[in-house]
Amino acid sequence: IRFPIVFKLRVGAGASNVWLISSKPQAQKIVRKLFGKGFNQYNYLADFKDGWENYKSHKLSFKGLLFKLLQFAFPPQQSKLLSIERGYFYFQEFIPENTFDVRLIIIGGEKAYGMKRIVRKNDFRASGSSDFVYDGMPADVLSIGFQVAQRLGLQSVALDFIFENGSPLITEISCFFGTKGSAKCKGYWTPDFKWHEGGVNPYGWMISDLMKVEF
């Protein structure tokens, strides 16, 4: 293994539960914990730190920051029902020199939309930055995205891409995705790479695709 390397839990959103591991002793410590007492799914301290950074950059209101502080001081009851993550480890190769990643959402294998997410300041993560660019979607990302969605028969999928020497690499794939940033996309692409101006409607597209399914 070459360090640094990315460590992830299998649960989390907005780059929560994702860390950059810089050395073998640090990795060994992580593995011992995973096969010992394990990790809580929700890291309240990390979430508050992210909130503080977003507040300083005017991406989070004071009310939102106060809410995160209250969650840190008084964890919600439902958080205690979440299982402890243990019994596995998940490392991923770190690809340096990425200033953004690409979130591509594909519905029904026929409509794709997305944006670039700028990497956070003094960080390596782009997810959760709340800093979006809606122009300049790479054509090869669209090509790979449509191929993956269609070959796997995915009704609804979000794919995250980073780049190594200009070539796109998929880092994550999920049926769950946020809509706060992507709702501002100005249109969508179809598999023929034609651009359709006029906003996005993933909820309506999901229902339309579902109605075509044979039960």
Side-chain angles (χ1 to χ4, degrees):
I1 295 176
R2 293 182 300 169
F3 291 95
I5 196 166
V6 178
F7 163 69
K8 299 180 177 180
L9 295 182
R10 60 186 173 184
V11 290
S16 61
N17 298 331
V18 179
W19 299 282
L20 194 62
I21 306 302
S22 60
S23 67
K24 182 176 179 179
Q26 188 180 5
Q28 290 173 325
K29 183 178 180 181
I30 291 285
V31 172
R32 284 195 295 268
K33 186 172 181 179
L34 282 165
F35 287 89
K37 66 178 182 179
F39 283 85
N40 291 322
Q41 289 192 26
Y42 193 79
N43 188 326
Y44 298 99
L45 179 58
D47 186 57
F48 176 73
K49 288 181 177 179
D50 286 346
W52 174 248
E53 292 299 325
N54 284 331
Y55 174 73
K56 289 194 299 181
S57 58
H58 307 290
K59 298 172 186 174
L60 183 70
S61 66
F62 179 76
K63 182 179 179 180
L65 179 66
L66 182 61
F67 178 73
K68 288 185 177 294
L69 179 60
L70 289 173
Q71 278 194 319
F72 173 61
F74 306 101
Q77 186 66 30
Q78 61 266 28
S79 68
K80 301 176 183 179
L81 302 177
L82 298 174
S83 62
I84 300 296
E85 292 298 303
R86 58 160 62 97
Y88 71 92
F89 65 87
Y90 177 20
F91 290 128
Q92 192 173 42
E93 182 183 359
F94 174 59
I95 309 298
E97 300 179 5
N98 278 275
T99 58
F100 64 89
D101 75 357
V102 172
R103 161 59 59 89
L104 185 69
I105 298 167
I106 303 177
I107 309 297
E110 297 178 352
K111 294 182 174 69
Y113 66 102
M115 65 284 189
K116 295 177 180 178
R117 304 182 297 188
I118 305 303
V119 170
R120 312 177 196 199
K121 186 178 180 180
N122 300 321
D123 204 327
F124 72 101
R125 300 169 300 168
S127 179
S129 70
S130 299
D131 191 358
F132 308 116
V133 175
Y134 296 96
D135 299 318
M137 178 67 69
D140 46 2
V141 165
L142 287 172
S143 178
I144 293 171
F146 277 121
Q147 288 182 52
V148 169
Q150 292 171 0
R151 291 185 184 183
L152 297 181
L154 302 176
Q155 293 175 301
S156 175
V157 62
L159 302 114
D160 294 342
F161 293 83
I162 59 174
F163 299 85
E164 184 176 31
N165 299 323
S167 298
L169 304 171
I170 296 175
T171 59
E172 290 189 11
I173 177 171
S174 178
C175 60
F176 303 106
F177 51 88
T179 58
K180 183 178 180 180
S182 61
K184 298 179 182 179
C185 291
K186 303 173 184 178
Y188 64 92
W189 292 270
T190 44
D192 57 2
F193 304 111
K194 183 178 180 180
W195 170 252
H196 300 263
E197 190 84 20
V200 297
N201 179 22
Y203 319 107
W205 297 343
M206 289 177 188
I207 294 173
S208 177
D209 183 67
L210 182 64
M211 297 300 289
K212 295 186 295 184
V213 175
E214 296 183 5
F215 294 94

